[in-house]
Amino acid sequence: MAVIYDRVALIGLGLIAGSMALAMREAGLARKVVGHARSPDTRAVAREIGLVDRVAETAAEAVEGADLVVLAVPVGAMGAVAAEIAPHLKPGATVTDVGSVKQAVIEAVAPHVPAGVHFIPGHPLAGTEHSGPRSGFAALFRNRWWLLTPIEGGDPAAVERLSALIRAMGANVEAMDAAHHDLVLAVTSHTPHLIAYTMVGVADHLKRVTESEVIKYSAAGFRDFTRIAASDPVMWRDVFLQNKEAVLDILGRFTEELFVLQRAIRMGDGAHLHDYFTRTRAIRRGIIEAGQDTAAPDFGRSPAAGETPKP
Ligand code: NAP
């Protein structure tokens, strides 16, 4: 495949940036990828495993001469990183981010982006519960959505070039409004994560049960919750703090529904439960038909089902 950006700078060298580095290398999409992470430990690991072509000591140094700069740090850190790199950005360069929240990132980053530099906010809907420089893999974005929330008045050619890179990494690109993105993600990702954290927390409080039984008899439902609840605490703290309004809106609706189901159970209203579960089952079928998951046991996450295994 052809080179799309001559020089790419990745700020943050965790799951998402690492996967981008590997995907770009695999498909030959950048001539040189420079990376930076704030901790010496992460920089040392990145050098040891050859994650990028060069590991820079500072973010400012990493972005020098870069045609594309990717901010891949927790959403709460985006503003500070943008301020640090702003004076060093090459005129005509594109800055994008991969943050899970869009409105707050735009508010934090856009004011720092100099005239003549294109800022195109983005979010790959792909991830695992693993983090850090060793967690990336080239296939992470394959057949996943990558949402862009372009700023009004932005350059369509710059958006098209970034979209070409994303498609070449195997993902499908769609553009949407940032506020809409935040609401959709509150429903599909953020609130479900909060529910998983809560359920695992509940089990943890039931110490009598958890000593051994929760682990020993861990059924698929709880096991999946624990997988989600093992996600990076800093990333998820920031997601909830930065997408507060949408998450509180959806959480309010969730609580109301929960009370309705709680009442149906108390009243022995089996018809209500059956109807409800029939509707939810149809949603699962829709997700499988849309190719966003597999019907295989274990949600298709075992290597046998074709997904890349992670350590
Ligand atoms: P990750 O594996 O934990 O890596 C985060 C990187 O950010 C690390 O290199 C870390 O540096 C750096 N970092 C952390 N705090 C920082 C700070 N205060 N200032 C500067 N750098 C900092 O995270 P990730 O999963 O790649 O997530 C990166 C971004 O992608 C986040 O905005 C997240 O919302 C978004 N995202 C994540 C997923 C997912 O499922 N994981 C999916 C889509 C989008 P050190 O290693 O040196 O600490």
Side-chain angles (χ1 to χ4, degrees):
M1 217 171 278
V3 167
I4 295 175
Y5 290 98
D6 216 43
R7 193 174 166 127
V8 176
L10 302 172
I11 309 301
L13 288 172
L15 171 72
I16 301 296
S19 298
M20 287 184 73
L22 296 171
M24 286 189 285
R25 180 178 294 160
E26 191 178 89
L29 306 175
R31 230 176 286 280
K32 184 157 186 170
V33 178
V34 180
H36 167 75
R38 69 180 167 162
S39 74
D41 283 358
T42 300
R43 295 200 295 273
V45 171
R47 281 194 187 102
E48 179 201 322
I49 62 176
L51 191 59
V52 288
D53 300 316
R54 185 166 73 81
V55 175
E57 284 301 298
T58 66
E61 185 195 327
V63 305
E64 292 283 358
D67 304 289
L68 174 68
V69 175
V70 182
L71 308 180
V73 298
V75 287
M78 297 278 185
V81 171
E84 189 185 339
I85 62 169
H88 308 275
L89 292 167
K90 175 172 136 177
T94 289
V95 174
T96 188
D97 76 289
V98 294
S100 307
V101 176
K102 295 278 54 88
Q103 286 179 108
V105 168
I106 293 171
E107 276 165 30
V109 172
H112 299 291
V113 179
V117 170
H118 312 286
F119 175 42
I120 309 170
H123 178 203
L125 305 191
T128 73
E129 67 278 25
H130 302 290
S131 54
R134 293 185 196 273
S135 61
F137 56 105
L140 178 67
F141 309 114
R142 221 164 274 162
N143 199 28
R144 296 289 168 216
W145 286 104
W146 195 307
L147 303 178
L148 296 179
T149 61
I151 312 263
E152 246 187 72
D155 178 10
V159 175
E160 190 36 52
R161 190 171 173 197
L162 179 61
S163 302
L165 177 84
I166 294 168
R167 282 193 290 268
M169 290 190 292
N172 306 309
V173 186
E174 200 148 287
M176 65 168 66
D177 168 73
H180 186 64
H181 165 280
D182 289 354
L183 185 64
V184 169
L185 266 291
V187 178
T188 58
S189 169
H190 305 167
T191 310
H193 268 80
L194 197 71
I195 293 163
Y197 280 124
T198 314
M199 194 56 228
V200 174
V202 167
D204 186 44
H205 287 134
L206 289 173
K207 281 287 181 213
R208 286 167 291 126
V209 184
T210 62
E211 292 304 345
S212 63
E213 282 142 310
V214 164
I215 293 167
K216 185 170 170 190
Y217 302 126
S218 180
F222 185 68
R223 255 196 346 246
D224 274 318
F225 276 147
T226 61
R227 187 186 63 75
I228 294 170
S231 300
D232 186 65
V234 173
M235 170 189 155
W236 284 96
R237 175 202 65 194
D238 282 8
V239 166
F240 293 118
L241 294 180
Q242 307 284 333
N243 197 19
K244 192 171 170 174
E245 268 177 43
V247 169
L248 289 179
D249 176 11
I250 301 305
L251 211 50
R253 291 164 194 261
F254 174 82
T255 316
E256 286 168 20
E257 298 269 320
L258 192 62
F259 277 132
V260 172
L261 288 179
Q262 190 175 332
R263 184 176 161 77
I265 294 168
R266 191 184 311 286
M267 305 306 280
D269 188 350
H272 181 88
L273 295 175
H274 186 268
D275 283 358
Y276 202 95
F277 301 158
T278 304
R279 273 190 284 133
T280 55
R281 187 179 228 187
I283 290 179
R284 170 78 191 150
R285 264 193 230 114
I287 289 172
I288 292 164
E289 279 162 24
Q292 293 300 304
D293 208 341
T294 102
D298 210 14
F299 292 83
R301 285 191 191 98
S302 66
E307 191 136 323
T308 311
K310 294 308 303 153

